[in-house]
Amino acid sequence: TISGNPTDASSVYPYTVTTIGPCTNAFMKGTITVSANSTLDLTSSIQDTTQAICIGTSITPITYLIDGGSTGHTVIGLPDGITASYSVTNNEGTLTISGTPTGNNGTGTFRYIVTAVGPCTSPSLSGTITVNAASTISLSSDAGTDAQSVCNNNAITYITYAIGGGATGAAITSGALPNGVTGSFNAGVFTISGTPTVAGKFNYTVTTQGPCTNLSKSGFITVNPSPVVNAITDITYCNGAPGAAISFSSTTPGVTYTWTSTRS
């Protein structure tokens, strides 16, 4: 019986077993092949194994040293556009993961696994590559709501923008909304609503927020002042007698007002 755990370096060990006796001694030969365990080591930065990038942007290359008794390797879980290449220098193998994600198999977080394959152990290491899409923004309320005119102290028609792609939010980034009107983001929609309390023309810009390219949409809200009554209140007129004149005026050029009167 030949048994035990080899401790020598990996190699092929031929042996011969010969009988011992007073007559002809027979023999048989064999070999024991000792293979080293496969080894797999990350040689680039540990931070490189958890990258987050945008579609169309190259990742920082991730490198692994494959050695020992390894006879091959496998790599699974990479996003489209990212590939693994293998080269050998001084009997040591280097596996390099590199490329530019295309988004053809979607966006999100891709968990990849590198395995050193051999006749003995086959160690594995993993990492993640998060692929983010560019942000998108489009007017989702009725056409023209992003260029509306209202009277002071009257609620505006809701203005909504659909926020998508890799965007994580949106905000007013230039211009201003009138007092009483606010913008808020919730569940992929940026909404402008409220009741203005000051007159004027207010230009605004909504910009997406996200890790990749961010886009903007602009609009304006014109708030017209309420007409001014050029008379004291609670005027009393006597039947058939002239009284004080009542007139209306506005500071908005080109804006006219109509009114009706009743009597009791």
Side-chain angles (χ1 to χ4, degrees):
T1 301
I2 298 173
S3 63
N5 296 315
T7 59
D8 291 338
S10 57
S11 184
V12 177
Y13 297 85
Y15 66 86
T16 302
V17 178
T18 304
T19 60
I20 300 173
C23 298
T24 302
N25 288 304
F27 67 90
M28 293 196 73
K29 295 183 177 182
T31 60
I32 298 174
T33 300
V34 179
S35 298
N37 289 326
S38 301
T39 60
L40 176 64
D41 296 290
L42 177 71
T43 53
S44 56
S45 171
I46 185 65
Q47 287 82 7
D48 295 338
T49 63
T50 55
Q51 297 187 49
I53 54 174
C54 301
I55 289 177
T57 301
S58 298
I59 69 168
T60 300
I62 310 166
T63 57
Y64 296 89
L65 177 65
I66 298 177
D67 203 359
S70 175
T71 56
H73 65 274
T74 62
V75 183
I76 60 173
L78 294 174
D80 281 359
I82 305 297
T83 58
S85 60
Y86 184 75
S87 61
V88 178
T89 303
N90 297 327
N91 294 321
E92 292 183 340
T94 298
L95 179 75
T96 302
I97 297 175
S98 61
T100 302
T102 62
N104 290 341
N105 59 339
T107 58
T109 298
F110 296 81
R111 182 175 182 266
Y112 68 87
I113 301 174
V114 177
T115 302
V117 179
C120 299
T121 58
S122 295
S124 295
L125 291 173
S126 64
T128 60
I129 299 173
T130 300
V131 180
N132 296 307
S135 300
T136 62
I137 181 173
S138 61
L139 181 70
S140 54
S141 53
D142 291 341
T145 52
D146 57 344
Q148 60 179 286
S149 296
V150 296
C151 290
N152 196 17
N153 296 312
N154 285 269
I156 68 168
T157 300
Y158 277 30
I159 309 168
T160 59
Y161 293 91
I163 309 299
T168 56
I172 301 292
T173 54
S174 66
L177 297 174
N179 290 343
V181 177
T182 59
S184 62
F185 175 80
N186 182 52
V189 178
F190 187 82
T191 302
I192 298 174
S193 61
T195 300
T197 59
V198 61
K201 183 177 181 180
F202 299 86
N203 298 297
Y204 66 85
T205 299
V206 179
T207 303
T208 59
Q209 298 171 327
C212 298
T213 303
N214 287 301
L215 304 178
S216 298
K217 287 285 187 181
S218 297
F220 65 85
I221 300 171
T222 300
V223 183
N224 297 313
S226 299
V228 177
V229 180
N230 298 319
I232 61 174
T233 59
D234 298 327
I235 299 175
T236 300
Y237 293 89
C238 294
N239 189 26
I246 301 176
S247 63
F248 295 80
S249 64
S250 170
T251 58
T252 305
V255 175
T256 59
Y257 298 90
T258 60
W259 63 90
T260 60
S261 63
T262 61
R263 64 182 182 179
S264 59

